């Protein structure tokens, strides 16, 4: 356990090693053991895990062993993020395995939370019941932090989302 700015973080000790796929499977196992130990101490009523799917799979494993409901939160599809950042290729084996694991975790979760309609729509297109998915968008009530800074027009980007122009910062 580590406390940073008054918030407790529980880190999984050790490092998974071995060839690809085996290494990730071991990482899931180590994380599941750590989640199980915290469940022993805290006795939760529900588990809430977030992407990537490695975290979700570990939590799903523990949730099923203990008869707990699982909420799985997706902030991004990691296979698509890997393509965007140049560390993966769309459709390659790693991409397909990551996507399959994500689909498995989503199917096993009792509820799914995404940050946007795009992720929800993608999951629905994959066969997930849209009623299982809740959208909880990123957002902050700026009033909680005093007067917001003035927008810098040089940082503005015009986006065409099909609903008219939107200015994003």
């Amino acid at each position: 356990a580590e406390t940073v700015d008054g918030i407790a973080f529980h880190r999984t000790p050790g490092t998974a090693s071995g060839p690809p796929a085996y290494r990730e499977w071991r990482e899931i196992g180590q994380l599941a053991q750590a989640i199980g130990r915290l469940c022993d101490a805290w006795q939760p009523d529900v588990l809430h895990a977030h992407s990537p799917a490695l975290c979700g799979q570990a939590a799903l494993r523990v949730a099923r062993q203990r008869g707990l409901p699982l909420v799985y939160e997706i902030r991004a599809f990691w296979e698509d993020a890997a393509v965007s950042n140049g560390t993966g290729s769309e459709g390659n084996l790693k991409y397909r395995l990551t996507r399959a694991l994500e689909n498995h975790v989503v199917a096993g979760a009792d509820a799914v939370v995404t940050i946007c309609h795009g992720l929800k729509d993608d999951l629905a297109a994959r066969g997930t019941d849209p009623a299982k998915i809740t959208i909880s968008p990123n957002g902050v009530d700026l009033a909680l932090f005093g007067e917001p800074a003035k927008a810098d027009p040089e940082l503005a980007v015009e986006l065409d989302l099909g609903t008219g122009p939107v200015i994003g910062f």
Side-chain angles (χ1 to χ4, degrees):
E2 175 184 3
T3 302
V4 178
D5 294 331
I7 299 172
F9 293 88
H10 294 266
R11 311 273 184 213
T12 304
T15 302
S17 60
Y22 178 73
R23 177 183 57 236
E24 286 76 13
W25 195 250
R26 289 190 63 219
E27 183 177 340
I28 289 168
Q30 289 173 338
L31 183 54
Q33 289 176 355
I35 294 168
R37 287 190 298 273
L38 287 173
C39 285
D40 290 341
W42 294 352
Q43 298 297 306
D45 294 321
V46 64
L47 292 181
H48 181 142
H50 61 78
S51 55
L54 299 176
C55 296
Q57 177 60 35
L60 179 60
R61 189 181 291 180
V62 175
R64 293 304 160 254
Q65 288 170 350
R66 295 171 181 261
L68 294 170
L70 174 65
V71 175
Y72 181 52
E73 179 179 342
I74 301 172
R75 301 170 188 166
F77 293 129
W78 286 64
E79 66 274 18
D80 291 331
V83 171
S84 294
N85 69 27
T87 61
S89 301
E90 187 170 357
N92 71 5
L93 180 60
K94 183 178 178 182
Y95 181 98
R96 292 191 317 270
L97 288 172
T98 303
R99 188 176 179 98
L101 182 58
E102 188 87 73
N103 290 340
H104 171 77
V105 174
V106 167
D110 297 282
V112 178
V113 178
T114 66
I115 64 167
C116 65
H117 287 280
L119 293 175
K120 179 178 181 176
D121 293 345
D122 190 310
L123 290 172
R126 297 181 194 190
T128 301
D129 180 0
K132 183 178 183 174
I133 307 166
T134 300
I135 297 172
S136 180
N138 278 338
V140 175
D141 181 355
L142 294 178
L144 295 173
F145 298 95
E147 185 66 30
K150 298 276 188 229
D152 183 346
E154 290 185 28
L155 297 177
V157 176
E158 187 171 330
L159 304 173
D160 183 1
L161 301 177
T163 59
V166 176
I167 303 298
F169 295 93

PDB file of all heavy atoms in Angstrom, residues 43-78:
ATOM      1  N   GLN A  43     -14.123  -6.794   2.463  1.00  0.00           N
ATOM      2  CA  GLN A  43     -15.443  -7.402   2.288  1.00  0.00           C
ATOM      3  C   GLN A  43     -16.380  -6.513   1.454  1.00  0.00           C
ATOM      4  O   GLN A  43     -17.461  -6.119   1.891  1.00  0.00           O
ATOM      5  CB  GLN A  43     -16.079  -7.686   3.668  1.00  0.00           C
ATOM      6  CG  GLN A  43     -15.304  -8.665   4.526  1.00  0.00           C
ATOM      7  CD  GLN A  43     -15.239 -10.042   3.887  1.00  0.00           C
ATOM      8  OE1 GLN A  43     -16.258 -10.617   3.541  1.00  0.00           O
ATOM      9  NE2 GLN A  43     -14.035 -10.567   3.716  1.00  0.00           N
ATOM     10  N   PRO A  44     -16.011  -6.199   0.214  1.00  0.00           N
ATOM     11  CA  PRO A  44     -16.838  -5.308  -0.611  1.00  0.00           C
ATOM     12  C   PRO A  44     -18.136  -5.972  -1.054  1.00  0.00           C
ATOM     13  O   PRO A  44     -18.249  -7.206  -1.078  1.00  0.00           O
ATOM     14  CB  PRO A  44     -15.948  -5.018  -1.818  1.00  0.00           C
ATOM     15  CG  PRO A  44     -15.121  -6.259  -1.949  1.00  0.00           C
ATOM     16  CD  PRO A  44     -14.848  -6.692  -0.523  1.00  0.00           C
ATOM     17  N   ASP A  45     -19.104  -5.146  -1.415  1.00  0.00           N
ATOM     18  CA  ASP A  45     -20.375  -5.627  -1.949  1.00  0.00           C
ATOM     19  C   ASP A  45     -20.348  -5.687  -3.472  1.00  0.00           C
ATOM     20  O   ASP A  45     -21.190  -6.339  -4.088  1.00  0.00           O
ATOM     21  CB  ASP A  45     -21.519  -4.713  -1.508  1.00  0.00           C
ATOM     22  CG  ASP A  45     -21.741  -4.766  -0.007  1.00  0.00           C
ATOM     23  OD1 ASP A  45     -21.644  -5.867   0.568  1.00  0.00           O
ATOM     24  OD2 ASP A  45     -22.004  -3.706   0.590  1.00  0.00           O
ATOM     25  N   VAL A  46     -19.428  -4.950  -4.082  1.00  0.00           N
ATOM     26  CA  VAL A  46     -19.313  -4.900  -5.536  1.00  0.00           C
ATOM     27  C   VAL A  46     -17.856  -4.607  -5.892  1.00  0.00           C
ATOM     28  O   VAL A  46     -17.156  -3.939  -5.129  1.00  0.00           O
ATOM     29  CB  VAL A  46     -20.262  -3.823  -6.134  1.00  0.00           C
ATOM     30  CG1 VAL A  46     -19.889  -2.431  -5.671  1.00  0.00           C
ATOM     31  CG2 VAL A  46     -20.322  -3.887  -7.649  1.00  0.00           C
ATOM     32  N   LEU A  47     -17.400  -5.127  -7.026  1.00  0.00           N
ATOM     33  CA  LEU A  47     -16.079  -4.775  -7.537  1.00  0.00           C
ATOM     34  C   LEU A  47     -16.270  -3.835  -8.718  1.00  0.00           C
ATOM     35  O   LEU A  47     -17.183  -4.022  -9.522  1.00  0.00           O
ATOM     36  CB  LEU A  47     -15.311  -6.009  -7.996  1.00  0.00           C
ATOM     37  CG  LEU A  47     -14.880  -6.990  -6.917  1.00  0.00           C
ATOM     38  CD1 LEU A  47     -14.093  -8.146  -7.537  1.00  0.00           C
ATOM     39  CD2 LEU A  47     -14.057  -6.305  -5.851  1.00  0.00           C
ATOM     40  N   HIS A  48     -15.413  -2.832  -8.807  1.00  0.00           N
ATOM     41  CA  HIS A  48     -15.434  -1.878  -9.921  1.00  0.00           C
ATOM     42  C   HIS A  48     -14.022  -1.839 -10.473  1.00  0.00           C
ATOM     43  O   HIS A  48     -13.100  -1.398  -9.811  1.00  0.00           O
ATOM     44  CB  HIS A  48     -15.861  -0.490  -9.418  1.00  0.00           C
ATOM     45  CG  HIS A  48     -15.926   0.541 -10.502  1.00  0.00           C
ATOM     46  ND1 HIS A  48     -16.900   1.494 -10.511  1.00  0.00           N
ATOM     47  CD2 HIS A  48     -15.158   0.786 -11.589  1.00  0.00           C
ATOM     48  CE1 HIS A  48     -16.736   2.280 -11.558  1.00  0.00           C
ATOM     49  NE2 HIS A  48     -15.665   1.867 -12.228  1.00  0.00           N
ATOM     50  N   ALA A  49     -13.870  -2.322 -11.694  1.00  0.00           N
ATOM     51  CA  ALA A  49     -12.568  -2.346 -12.352  1.00  0.00           C
ATOM     52  C   ALA A  49     -12.619  -1.454 -13.576  1.00  0.00           C
ATOM     53  O   ALA A  49     -13.686  -1.192 -14.132  1.00  0.00           O
ATOM     54  CB  ALA A  49     -12.222  -3.772 -12.775  1.00  0.00           C
ATOM     55  N   HIS A  50     -11.468  -0.977 -13.989  1.00  0.00           N
ATOM     56  CA  HIS A  50     -11.415  -0.152 -15.203  1.00  0.00           C
ATOM     57  C   HIS A  50     -10.445  -0.779 -16.199  1.00  0.00           C
ATOM     58  O   HIS A  50      -9.629  -1.623 -15.864  1.00  0.00           O
ATOM     59  CB  HIS A  50     -11.016   1.286 -14.873  1.00  0.00           C
ATOM     60  CG  HIS A  50      -9.672   1.418 -14.253  1.00  0.00           C
ATOM     61  ND1 HIS A  50      -8.506   1.349 -14.975  1.00  0.00           N
ATOM     62  CD2 HIS A  50      -9.308   1.591 -12.964  1.00  0.00           C
ATOM     63  CE1 HIS A  50      -7.473   1.491 -14.163  1.00  0.00           C
ATOM     64  NE2 HIS A  50      -7.933   1.629 -12.931  1.00  0.00           N
ATOM     65  N   SER A  51     -10.602  -0.332 -17.445  1.00  0.00           N
ATOM     66  CA  SER A  51      -9.714  -0.809 -18.489  1.00  0.00           C
ATOM     67  C   SER A  51      -8.280  -0.430 -18.135  1.00  0.00           C
ATOM     68  O   SER A  51      -8.066   0.494 -17.374  1.00  0.00           O
ATOM     69  CB  SER A  51     -10.119  -0.212 -19.845  1.00  0.00           C
ATOM     70  OG  SER A  51     -10.173   1.196 -19.783  1.00  0.00           O
ATOM     71  N   PRO A  52      -7.325  -1.246 -18.620  1.00  0.00           N
ATOM     72  CA  PRO A  52      -7.418  -2.192 -19.714  1.00  0.00           C
ATOM     73  C   PRO A  52      -8.045  -3.518 -19.288  1.00  0.00           C
ATOM     74  O   PRO A  52      -8.239  -3.787 -18.105  1.00  0.00           O
ATOM     75  CB  PRO A  52      -5.962  -2.395 -20.143  1.00  0.00           C
ATOM     76  CG  PRO A  52      -5.180  -2.213 -18.891  1.00  0.00           C
ATOM     77  CD  PRO A  52      -5.918  -1.131 -18.137  1.00  0.00           C
ATOM     78  N   ALA A  53      -8.303  -4.337 -20.275  1.00  0.00           N
ATOM     79  CA  ALA A  53      -8.983  -5.607 -20.034  1.00  0.00           C
ATOM     80  C   ALA A  53      -8.207  -6.537 -19.114  1.00  0.00           C
ATOM     81  O   ALA A  53      -8.803  -7.409 -18.484  1.00  0.00           O
ATOM     82  CB  ALA A  53      -9.269  -6.300 -21.366  1.00  0.00           C
ATOM     83  N   LEU A  54      -6.890  -6.361 -18.990  1.00  0.00           N
ATOM     84  CA  LEU A  54      -6.125  -7.177 -18.040  1.00  0.00           C
ATOM     85  C   LEU A  54      -6.643  -6.944 -16.627  1.00  0.00           C
ATOM     86  O   LEU A  54      -6.810  -7.896 -15.850  1.00  0.00           O
ATOM     87  CB  LEU A  54      -4.635  -6.858 -18.118  1.00  0.00           C
ATOM     88  CG  LEU A  54      -3.945  -7.118 -19.458  1.00  0.00           C
ATOM     89  CD1 LEU A  54      -2.486  -6.652 -19.406  1.00  0.00           C
ATOM     90  CD2 LEU A  54      -4.024  -8.578 -19.846  1.00  0.00           C
ATOM     91  N   CYS A  55      -6.914  -5.690 -16.275  1.00  0.00           N
ATOM     92  CA  CYS A  55      -7.489  -5.366 -14.958  1.00  0.00           C
ATOM     93  C   CYS A  55      -8.897  -5.935 -14.856  1.00  0.00           C
ATOM     94  O   CYS A  55      -9.280  -6.507 -13.834  1.00  0.00           O
ATOM     95  CB  CYS A  55      -7.537  -3.855 -14.751  1.00  0.00           C
ATOM     96  SG  CYS A  55      -5.938  -3.052 -14.691  1.00  0.00           S
ATOM     97  N   GLY A  56      -9.662  -5.757 -15.920  1.00  0.00           N
ATOM     98  CA  GLY A  56     -11.035  -6.256 -15.923  1.00  0.00           C
ATOM     99  C   GLY A  56     -11.107  -7.763 -15.774  1.00  0.00           C
ATOM    100  O   GLY A  56     -11.945  -8.286 -15.045  1.00  0.00           O
ATOM    101  N   GLN A  57     -10.214  -8.494 -16.448  1.00  0.00           N
ATOM    102  CA  GLN A  57     -10.215  -9.957 -16.356  1.00  0.00           C
ATOM    103  C   GLN A  57      -9.856 -10.413 -14.951  1.00  0.00           C
ATOM    104  O   GLN A  57     -10.454 -11.348 -14.423  1.00  0.00           O
ATOM    105  CB  GLN A  57      -9.261 -10.570 -17.383  1.00  0.00           C
ATOM    106  CG  GLN A  57      -9.144 -12.075 -17.302  1.00  0.00           C
ATOM    107  CD  GLN A  57     -10.468 -12.798 -17.519  1.00  0.00           C
ATOM    108  OE1 GLN A  57     -11.301 -12.359 -18.302  1.00  0.00           O
ATOM    109  NE2 GLN A  57     -10.668 -13.892 -16.812  1.00  0.00           N
ATOM    110  N   ALA A  58      -8.892  -9.752 -14.325  1.00  0.00           N
ATOM    111  CA  ALA A  58      -8.522 -10.105 -12.949  1.00  0.00           C
ATOM    112  C   ALA A  58      -9.710  -9.880 -12.014  1.00  0.00           C
ATOM    113  O   ALA A  58     -10.027 -10.734 -11.170  1.00  0.00           O
ATOM    114  CB  ALA A  58      -7.317  -9.286 -12.498  1.00  0.00           C
ATOM    115  N   ALA A  59     -10.369  -8.755 -12.159  1.00  0.00           N
ATOM    116  CA  ALA A  59     -11.525  -8.456 -11.306  1.00  0.00           C
ATOM    117  C   ALA A  59     -12.677  -9.411 -11.590  1.00  0.00           C
ATOM    118  O   ALA A  59     -13.374  -9.851 -10.665  1.00  0.00           O
ATOM    119  CB  ALA A  59     -11.963  -7.009 -11.519  1.00  0.00           C
ATOM    120  N   LEU A  60     -12.876  -9.758 -12.865  1.00  0.00           N
ATOM    121  CA  LEU A  60     -13.939 -10.702 -13.220  1.00  0.00           C
ATOM    122  C   LEU A  60     -13.686 -12.060 -12.569  1.00  0.00           C
ATOM    123  O   LEU A  60     -14.600 -12.685 -12.029  1.00  0.00           O
ATOM    124  CB  LEU A  60     -14.015 -10.842 -14.747  1.00  0.00           C
ATOM    125  CG  LEU A  60     -15.064 -11.800 -15.291  1.00  0.00           C
ATOM    126  CD1 LEU A  60     -16.470 -11.391 -14.873  1.00  0.00           C
ATOM    127  CD2 LEU A  60     -14.956 -11.876 -16.818  1.00  0.00           C
ATOM    128  N   ARG A  61     -12.457 -12.495 -12.597  1.00  0.00           N
ATOM    129  CA  ARG A  61     -12.083 -13.773 -11.975  1.00  0.00           C
ATOM    130  C   ARG A  61     -12.462 -13.764 -10.482  1.00  0.00           C
ATOM    131  O   ARG A  61     -13.089 -14.699  -9.983  1.00  0.00           O
ATOM    132  CB  ARG A  61     -10.581 -14.003 -12.156  1.00  0.00           C
ATOM    133  CG  ARG A  61     -10.103 -15.359 -11.752  1.00  0.00           C
ATOM    134  CD  ARG A  61      -8.601 -15.509 -11.941  1.00  0.00           C
ATOM    135  NE  ARG A  61      -8.204 -15.532 -13.345  1.00  0.00           N
ATOM    136  CZ  ARG A  61      -6.955 -15.645 -13.751  1.00  0.00           C
ATOM    137  NH1 ARG A  61      -5.964 -15.737 -12.877  1.00  0.00           N
ATOM    138  NH2 ARG A  61      -6.664 -15.671 -15.040  1.00  0.00           N
ATOM    139  N   VAL A  62     -12.091 -12.697  -9.784  1.00  0.00           N
ATOM    140  CA  VAL A  62     -12.362 -12.602  -8.348  1.00  0.00           C
ATOM    141  C   VAL A  62     -13.858 -12.452  -8.095  1.00  0.00           C
ATOM    142  O   VAL A  62     -14.416 -13.072  -7.181  1.00  0.00           O
ATOM    143  CB  VAL A  62     -11.571 -11.430  -7.721  1.00  0.00           C
ATOM    144  CG1 VAL A  62     -11.941 -11.239  -6.256  1.00  0.00           C
ATOM    145  CG2 VAL A  62     -10.069 -11.667  -7.872  1.00  0.00           C
ATOM    146  N   ALA A  63     -14.520 -11.629  -8.901  1.00  0.00           N
ATOM    147  CA  ALA A  63     -15.960 -11.423  -8.719  1.00  0.00           C
ATOM    148  C   ALA A  63     -16.718 -12.737  -8.838  1.00  0.00           C
ATOM    149  O   ALA A  63     -17.608 -13.026  -8.028  1.00  0.00           O
ATOM    150  CB  ALA A  63     -16.475 -10.406  -9.741  1.00  0.00           C
ATOM    151  N   ARG A  64     -16.366 -13.556  -9.813  1.00  0.00           N
ATOM    152  CA  ARG A  64     -17.058 -14.834 -10.002  1.00  0.00           C
ATOM    153  C   ARG A  64     -16.734 -15.806  -8.869  1.00  0.00           C
ATOM    154  O   ARG A  64     -17.613 -16.533  -8.408  1.00  0.00           O
ATOM    155  CB  ARG A  64     -16.705 -15.449 -11.359  1.00  0.00           C
ATOM    156  CG  ARG A  64     -17.222 -14.649 -12.535  1.00  0.00           C
ATOM    157  CD  ARG A  64     -18.744 -14.447 -12.449  1.00  0.00           C
ATOM    158  NE  ARG A  64     -19.192 -13.332 -13.255  1.00  0.00           N
ATOM    159  CZ  ARG A  64     -19.581 -12.142 -12.774  1.00  0.00           C
ATOM    160  NH1 ARG A  64     -19.584 -11.888 -11.487  1.00  0.00           N
ATOM    161  NH2 ARG A  64     -19.994 -11.202 -13.580  1.00  0.00           N
ATOM    162  N   GLN A  65     -15.495 -15.817  -8.395  1.00  0.00           N
ATOM    163  CA  GLN A  65     -15.120 -16.707  -7.298  1.00  0.00           C
ATOM    164  C   GLN A  65     -15.879 -16.356  -6.025  1.00  0.00           C
ATOM    165  O   GLN A  65     -16.207 -17.235  -5.232  1.00  0.00           O
ATOM    166  CB  GLN A  65     -13.625 -16.603  -7.019  1.00  0.00           C
ATOM    167  CG  GLN A  65     -12.745 -17.233  -8.064  1.00  0.00           C
ATOM    168  CD  GLN A  65     -11.270 -16.895  -7.853  1.00  0.00           C
ATOM    169  OE1 GLN A  65     -10.899 -16.043  -7.048  1.00  0.00           O
ATOM    170  NE2 GLN A  65     -10.411 -17.560  -8.617  1.00  0.00           N
ATOM    171  N   ARG A  66     -16.152 -15.072  -5.828  1.00  0.00           N
ATOM    172  CA  ARG A  66     -16.756 -14.612  -4.580  1.00  0.00           C
ATOM    173  C   ARG A  66     -18.234 -14.271  -4.696  1.00  0.00           C
ATOM    174  O   ARG A  66     -18.844 -13.825  -3.730  1.00  0.00           O
ATOM    175  CB  ARG A  66     -15.984 -13.403  -4.063  1.00  0.00           C
ATOM    176  CG  ARG A  66     -14.550 -13.782  -3.679  1.00  0.00           C
ATOM    177  CD  ARG A  66     -13.707 -12.575  -3.380  1.00  0.00           C
ATOM    178  NE  ARG A  66     -12.354 -12.988  -3.035  1.00  0.00           N
ATOM    179  CZ  ARG A  66     -11.907 -13.101  -1.795  1.00  0.00           C
ATOM    180  NH1 ARG A  66     -12.691 -12.825  -0.774  1.00  0.00           N
ATOM    181  NH2 ARG A  66     -10.670 -13.489  -1.567  1.00  0.00           N
ATOM    182  N   GLY A  67     -18.809 -14.430  -5.865  1.00  0.00           N
ATOM    183  CA  GLY A  67     -20.227 -14.134  -6.048  1.00  0.00           C
ATOM    184  C   GLY A  67     -20.536 -12.653  -5.955  1.00  0.00           C
ATOM    185  O   GLY A  67     -21.625 -12.264  -5.514  1.00  0.00           O
ATOM    186  N   LEU A  68     -19.583 -11.812  -6.379  1.00  0.00           N
ATOM    187  CA  LEU A  68     -19.773 -10.360  -6.329  1.00  0.00           C
ATOM    188  C   LEU A  68     -20.127  -9.819  -7.702  1.00  0.00           C
ATOM    189  O   LEU A  68     -19.618 -10.305  -8.714  1.00  0.00           O
ATOM    190  CB  LEU A  68     -18.490  -9.668  -5.855  1.00  0.00           C
ATOM    191  CG  LEU A  68     -18.047  -9.936  -4.426  1.00  0.00           C
ATOM    192  CD1 LEU A  68     -16.643  -9.373  -4.193  1.00  0.00           C
ATOM    193  CD2 LEU A  68     -19.048  -9.332  -3.454  1.00  0.00           C
ATOM    194  N   PRO A  69     -20.974  -8.795  -7.767  1.00  0.00           N
ATOM    195  CA  PRO A  69     -21.211  -8.148  -9.053  1.00  0.00           C
ATOM    196  C   PRO A  69     -19.984  -7.341  -9.472  1.00  0.00           C
ATOM    197  O   PRO A  69     -19.236  -6.837  -8.626  1.00  0.00           O
ATOM    198  CB  PRO A  69     -22.404  -7.225  -8.787  1.00  0.00           C
ATOM    199  CG  PRO A  69     -22.462  -7.050  -7.313  1.00  0.00           C
ATOM    200  CD  PRO A  69     -21.784  -8.240  -6.696  1.00  0.00           C
ATOM    201  N   LEU A  70     -19.793  -7.242 -10.780  1.00  0.00           N
ATOM    202  CA  LEU A  70     -18.663  -6.501 -11.324  1.00  0.00           C
ATOM    203  C   LEU A  70     -19.154  -5.377 -12.223  1.00  0.00           C
ATOM    204  O   LEU A  70     -19.954  -5.598 -13.135  1.00  0.00           O
ATOM    205  CB  LEU A  70     -17.750  -7.417 -12.155  1.00  0.00           C
ATOM    206  CG  LEU A  70     -16.612  -6.713 -12.902  1.00  0.00           C
ATOM    207  CD1 LEU A  70     -15.608  -6.087 -11.930  1.00  0.00           C
ATOM    208  CD2 LEU A  70     -15.920  -7.671 -13.853  1.00  0.00           C
ATOM    209  N   VAL A  71     -18.663  -4.184 -11.952  1.00  0.00           N
ATOM    210  CA  VAL A  71     -18.847  -3.038 -12.839  1.00  0.00           C
ATOM    211  C   VAL A  71     -17.511  -2.845 -13.545  1.00  0.00           C
ATOM    212  O   VAL A  71     -16.469  -2.754 -12.896  1.00  0.00           O
ATOM    213  CB  VAL A  71     -19.222  -1.756 -12.051  1.00  0.00           C
ATOM    214  CG1 VAL A  71     -19.299  -0.557 -12.981  1.00  0.00           C
ATOM    215  CG2 VAL A  71     -20.521  -1.954 -11.282  1.00  0.00           C
ATOM    216  N   TYR A  72     -17.546  -2.799 -14.873  1.00  0.00           N
ATOM    217  CA  TYR A  72     -16.334  -2.631 -15.662  1.00  0.00           C
ATOM    218  C   TYR A  72     -16.404  -1.302 -16.395  1.00  0.00           C
ATOM    219  O   TYR A  72     -17.356  -1.034 -17.126  1.00  0.00           O
ATOM    220  CB  TYR A  72     -16.180  -3.788 -16.650  1.00  0.00           C
ATOM    221  CG  TYR A  72     -14.930  -3.712 -17.494  1.00  0.00           C
ATOM    222  CD1 TYR A  72     -13.680  -3.553 -16.905  1.00  0.00           C
ATOM    223  CD2 TYR A  72     -14.989  -3.806 -18.865  1.00  0.00           C
ATOM    224  CE1 TYR A  72     -12.527  -3.493 -17.677  1.00  0.00           C
ATOM    225  CE2 TYR A  72     -13.849  -3.758 -19.647  1.00  0.00           C
ATOM    226  CZ  TYR A  72     -12.623  -3.592 -19.047  1.00  0.00           C
ATOM    227  OH  TYR A  72     -11.482  -3.519 -19.810  1.00  0.00           O
ATOM    228  N   GLU A  73     -15.408  -0.467 -16.168  1.00  0.00           N
ATOM    229  CA  GLU A  73     -15.379   0.880 -16.740  1.00  0.00           C
ATOM    230  C   GLU A  73     -14.356   0.938 -17.873  1.00  0.00           C
ATOM    231  O   GLU A  73     -13.199   0.560 -17.689  1.00  0.00           O
ATOM    232  CB  GLU A  73     -15.000   1.880 -15.651  1.00  0.00           C
ATOM    233  CG  GLU A  73     -14.916   3.297 -16.125  1.00  0.00           C
ATOM    234  CD  GLU A  73     -14.549   4.254 -15.005  1.00  0.00           C
ATOM    235  OE1 GLU A  73     -14.678   3.900 -13.819  1.00  0.00           O
ATOM    236  OE2 GLU A  73     -14.123   5.373 -15.339  1.00  0.00           O
ATOM    237  N   ILE A  74     -14.803   1.411 -19.017  1.00  0.00           N
ATOM    238  CA  ILE A  74     -13.929   1.513 -20.185  1.00  0.00           C
ATOM    239  C   ILE A  74     -13.733   2.985 -20.524  1.00  0.00           C
ATOM    240  O   ILE A  74     -14.689   3.709 -20.784  1.00  0.00           O
ATOM    241  CB  ILE A  74     -14.531   0.774 -21.392  1.00  0.00           C
ATOM    242  CG1 ILE A  74     -14.736  -0.694 -21.052  1.00  0.00           C
ATOM    243  CG2 ILE A  74     -13.636   0.945 -22.621  1.00  0.00           C
ATOM    244  CD1 ILE A  74     -15.494  -1.457 -22.115  1.00  0.00           C
ATOM    245  N   ARG A  75     -12.482   3.384 -20.516  1.00  0.00           N
ATOM    246  CA  ARG A  75     -12.132   4.761 -20.864  1.00  0.00           C
ATOM    247  C   ARG A  75     -11.616   4.847 -22.278  1.00  0.00           C
ATOM    248  O   ARG A  75     -11.607   5.913 -22.884  1.00  0.00           O
ATOM    249  CB  ARG A  75     -11.085   5.274 -19.885  1.00  0.00           C
ATOM    250  CG  ARG A  75     -11.579   5.231 -18.450  1.00  0.00           C
ATOM    251  CD  ARG A  75     -10.480   5.512 -17.474  1.00  0.00           C
ATOM    252  NE  ARG A  75     -10.947   5.269 -16.119  1.00  0.00           N
ATOM    253  CZ  ARG A  75     -10.150   5.176 -15.093  1.00  0.00           C
ATOM    254  NH1 ARG A  75      -8.854   5.301 -15.244  1.00  0.00           N
ATOM    255  NH2 ARG A  75     -10.639   4.957 -13.901  1.00  0.00           N
ATOM    256  N   ALA A  76     -11.133   3.739 -22.802  1.00  0.00           N
ATOM    257  CA  ALA A  76     -10.635   3.648 -24.178  1.00  0.00           C
ATOM    258  C   ALA A  76     -10.480   2.180 -24.521  1.00  0.00           C
ATOM    259  O   ALA A  76     -10.307   1.351 -23.637  1.00  0.00           O
ATOM    260  CB  ALA A  76      -9.281   4.347 -24.310  1.00  0.00           C
ATOM    261  N   PHE A  77     -10.555   1.869 -25.795  1.00  0.00           N
ATOM    262  CA  PHE A  77     -10.232   0.523 -26.247  1.00  0.00           C
ATOM    263  C   PHE A  77      -8.733   0.490 -26.470  1.00  0.00           C
ATOM    264  O   PHE A  77      -8.200   1.177 -27.342  1.00  0.00           O
ATOM    265  CB  PHE A  77     -10.988   0.168 -27.527  1.00  0.00           C
ATOM    266  CG  PHE A  77     -12.473   0.043 -27.327  1.00  0.00           C
ATOM    267  CD1 PHE A  77     -13.348   0.722 -28.144  1.00  0.00           C
ATOM    268  CD2 PHE A  77     -12.993  -0.759 -26.329  1.00  0.00           C
ATOM    269  CE1 PHE A  77     -14.715   0.603 -27.976  1.00  0.00           C
ATOM    270  CE2 PHE A  77     -14.361  -0.887 -26.136  1.00  0.00           C
ATOM    271  CZ  PHE A  77     -15.227  -0.196 -26.966  1.00  0.00           C
ATOM    272  N   TRP A  78      -8.040  -0.310 -25.703  1.00  0.00           N
ATOM    273  CA  TRP A  78      -6.582  -0.306 -25.705  1.00  0.00           C
ATOM    274  C   TRP A  78      -6.001  -0.772 -27.029  1.00  0.00           C
ATOM    275  O   TRP A  78      -4.930  -0.333 -27.432  1.00  0.00           O
ATOM    276  CB  TRP A  78      -6.062  -1.102 -24.509  1.00  0.00           C
ATOM    277  CG  TRP A  78      -6.269  -0.314 -23.257  1.00  0.00           C
ATOM    278  CD1 TRP A  78      -7.470   0.061 -22.720  1.00  0.00           C
ATOM    279  CD2 TRP A  78      -5.280   0.270 -22.434  1.00  0.00           C
ATOM    280  NE1 TRP A  78      -7.275   0.830 -21.611  1.00  0.00           N
ATOM    281  CE2 TRP A  78      -5.931   0.967 -21.394  1.00  0.00           C
ATOM    282  CE3 TRP A  78      -3.896   0.251 -22.457  1.00  0.00           C
ATOM    283  CZ2 TRP A  78      -5.251   1.644 -20.408  1.00  0.00           C
ATOM    284  CZ3 TRP A  78      -3.212   0.924 -21.451  1.00  0.00           C
ATOM    285  CH2 TRP A  78      -3.887   1.616 -20.449  1.00  0.00           C
TER     286      TRP A  78
END
